[in-house]
Amino acid sequence: MDNQKINWYPGHMAKARRQIAEQIKKADLILEICDARMPFSSRNPDLNRMIGFRKRLLILNKSDLANDTVNRRWLNWFQNQGTDAVLLSTLRMNRKELLDRIEKSTREITEKALLRGMKKTIRAMVIGVPNVGKSTMINRLRGDSIAQTGDRPGVTRASQVIRVTPYLELLDTPGLLWPRLDDQDAARRLCYIGTIKDETVDLYGLTAALLEELKILAPQALIERYHLKDLSGDGPQVMESICRGRGWLLKGGEADLERCCNVVLDEFRGGKIGRISLEEPKNNSRNELNQTDHEKAGDRNDRPDGESPTAD
């Protein structure tokens, strides 16, 4: 995995970026969704620049898969940075609570409209990288499955307006990455959660790298989930141990490493290994937002049209 440059920016993302840049001007509120397990790596610096100073509610989704203590630290950290943020589990989300937060974020807009004798319909744009749960959140807010969902990136290819209440409509947008993933640590973590298509990366190297991180972050959970005696050895050696602990063997007793890759990645993505946070807040003061490496790389690679497409 160390020798493989991870990059995935299919042609439809270049088109989507141009559309979002135009549509964002008409949005009253930006609902930016990231993965609570890795809020730094799962936020697109291109989107951050497009949002600028517009009103935003940052949604740390899949919080039920992340460490609860770290979740609270993230909320405090974003609050100290002046960013309105909320934890969300789309599978067990409180619809009324999220609608109330949206109403609170746009109260100034609606009150100004009322002073002019108008009942304002709020348009909130839902943005984020692929596979962080944008469409699932929209469906649960609306109460049906109007937005197409899937456990793979790239399901939503075009923007669509969805009315949630008589005075709230959501603009569902395609998941968007940035043209060059210069921060390969962030790119690798995006692969862990399925933001980047599995078909484009070396799953053996990816799984080995994930296990190396889990050895540090959640050693006991790893031992218990895969019936391991210990965690000696590097990532590939742990994969061998997992295969033997689970009985995933081919003819001749050879470890079924392909099955190991598929199961470990699926189980991490689904939270079956445990509630694990891959990233924690940095110790920054309120006025010193410490950009991650991939945000700085995004600054260097910014283009007027944001386009550096590869074949879809």
Side-chain angles (χ1 to χ4, degrees):
M1 193 74 187
D2 292 339
N3 297 325
Q4 182 193 26
K5 175 77 172 178
I6 302 171
N7 208 57
W8 187 57
Y9 192 66
H12 75 269
M13 287 189 185
K15 179 180 178 181
R17 186 193 188 282
R18 291 192 293 269
Q19 291 176 340
I20 290 172
E22 285 299 315
Q23 294 167 337
I24 206 168
K25 300 172 185 177
K26 302 176 182 178
D28 300 299
L29 174 68
I30 308 301
L31 298 177
E32 182 190 359
I33 304 186
C34 66
D35 192 304
R37 294 169 291 184
M38 37 180 277
F40 276 140
S41 294
S42 61
R43 296 181 70 194
N44 183 338
D46 276 356
L47 292 175
N48 195 52
R49 283 189 292 275
M50 282 191 278
I51 294 170
F53 294 100
R54 291 178 177 84
K55 194 170 291 293
R56 166 188 355 208
L57 178 61
L58 177 63
I59 298 173
L60 282 72
N61 196 23
K62 305 186 181 182
S63 59
D64 54 318
L65 306 182
N67 181 282
D68 192 50
T69 299
V70 178
N71 282 340
R72 291 193 295 270
R73 289 187 60 205
W74 274 115
L75 281 183
N76 291 334
W77 190 88
F78 282 116
Q79 182 178 0
N80 289 335
Q81 300 297 332
T83 300
D84 191 15
V86 62
L87 296 170
L88 182 69
S89 164
T90 49
L91 296 179
R92 294 189 294 274
M93 66 174 282
N94 186 319
R95 179 178 183 271
K96 183 180 184 303
E97 182 179 332
L98 183 56
L99 287 174
D100 287 346
R101 288 299 296 269
I102 293 172
E103 188 275 332
K104 180 180 178 182
S105 297
T106 56
R107 187 171 297 158
E108 183 179 350
I109 297 172
T110 56
E111 288 180 350
K112 284 183 178 179
L114 283 174
L115 290 175
R116 300 194 302 270
M118 299 169 53
K119 181 69 174 178
K120 169 74 173 174
T121 296
I122 294 295
R123 171 170 287 193
M125 175 179 276
V126 182
I127 64 172
V129 302
N131 216 36
V132 289
K134 297 184 297 298
S135 296
T136 300
M137 183 201 72
I138 289 172
N139 288 338
R140 294 195 175 265
L141 277 176
R142 182 180 161 91
D144 57 23
S145 298
I146 192 168
Q148 188 179 9
T149 64
D151 60 356
R152 64 192 188 282
V155 172
T156 302
R157 290 296 187 93
S159 300
Q160 59 176 326
V161 177
I162 299 167
R163 188 168 291 274
V164 173
T165 71
Y167 295 101
L168 173 64
E169 58 184 29
L170 302 181
L171 180 60
D172 186 19
T173 64
L176 197 64
L177 290 172
W178 49 108
R180 288 179 56 188
L181 301 175
D182 283 355
D183 181 351
Q184 286 294 288
D185 288 335
R188 188 175 62 251
R189 287 175 176 166
L190 290 172
C191 292
Y192 292 162
I193 63 171
T195 290
I196 296 173
K197 281 188 175 181
D198 286 345
E199 295 83 356
T200 67
V201 299
D202 166 23
L203 290 187
Y204 176 83
L206 181 68
T207 306
L210 173 60
L211 290 170
E212 291 279 7
E213 292 204 50
L214 295 183
K215 281 175 60 178
I216 298 171
L217 296 171
Q220 192 58 38
L222 204 57
I223 288 172
E224 293 176 2
R225 182 67 187 174
Y226 297 111
H227 313 305
L228 303 175
K229 294 180 180 179
D230 55 48
L231 292 175
S232 59
D234 57 14
Q237 289 171 318
V238 174
M239 290 174 68
E240 289 274 352
S241 298
I242 288 175
C243 287
R244 303 201 180 281
R246 282 285 190 93
W248 298 337
L249 303 175
L250 302 171
K251 289 183 179 179
E254 182 182 352
D256 189 347
L257 296 174
E258 181 178 355
R259 182 177 181 183
C260 181
C261 292
N262 291 330
V263 173
V264 169
L265 288 171
D266 284 346
E267 293 193 342
F268 172 75
R269 292 166 183 171
K272 293 182 179 179
I273 299 175
R275 297 187 61 174
I276 301 167
S277 295
L278 295 176
E279 296 173 346
E280 296 195 23
K282 296 182 179 180
N283 295 320
N284 301 14
S285 69
R286 181 180 179 85
N287 297 317
E288 294 176 344
L289 178 57
N290 187 3
Q291 285 183 305
T292 62
D293 290 341
H294 81 277
E295 286 174 325
K296 293 173 182 175
D299 289 337
R300 292 194 301 270
N301 298 323
D302 197 23
R303 298 172 175 79
D305 61 0
E307 190 169 348
S308 177
T310 59
D312 194 353

